[in-house]
Amino acid sequence: MRYLSKLALAAVLMVAAVPAFAQSSIQIEKPWARATPAGAKTGAAYMTIDNKSNVADRLIGVSSDVAKTLQIHEMKVVEGTMKMREIPGGLPVPAGGSVVLKPGGFHVMLIELNQPLKAGETFPLTLVFEKAGKVSIKVPVEAMRASHDSMPGMGHMEMK
């Protein structure tokens, strides 16, 4: 009987630990942000989100003390005009796949920066996933001319 009690306790502890294991299924690679000029009110953060699990997930929120508002955005060209908008419902991350956040595409929009982003500094960012929960990272700020991936020709740009 004592053996069964220990076995039952071990089973309960393993089940309680499952959410902790789920968090490790999301890995963030190469986070970065571009420095902003003095007086700039917006910035952006980029990264690759890898989902190592066999279950699709969704990035549903972001938070940081670097700006008053943070949103998950998409930029794309529609009829020759660059349009940027918040993604309603969050950003899907496929099972066993990845999503790249880069200039000219998906990104974390930093609105009403509390101070300019300066090259060489870092800032904390917490990503909230529907299934994996919270993942906290440090985002290095690179020089204004940093261009991990080139941005498509911009022409016109609209924010929605």
Side-chain angles (χ1 to χ4, degrees), residues 42-114:
T42 61
Y46 312 102
M47 67 205 70
T48 298
I49 302 170
D50 286 325
N51 183 352
K52 303 295 185 184
S53 80
N54 60 359
V55 177
D57 208 335
R58 181 176 297 271
L59 176 61
I60 57 172
V62 286
S63 64
S64 176
D65 59 4
V66 74
K68 289 186 173 78
T69 304
L70 286 85
Q71 297 176 343
I72 306 158
H73 272 213
E74 177 182 28
M75 228 178 184
K76 63 182 175 181
V77 177
V78 177
E79 297 177 9
T81 301
M82 179 69 77
K83 295 191 177 199
M84 182 170 32
R85 67 177 179 88
E86 184 175 14
I87 301 171
L91 179 62
V93 184
S98 62
V99 175
V100 178
L101 283 67
K102 64 182 181 178
F106 299 120
H107 58 278
V108 173
M109 191 73 193
L110 312 169
I111 302 167
E112 294 186 59
L113 289 168
N114 293 322

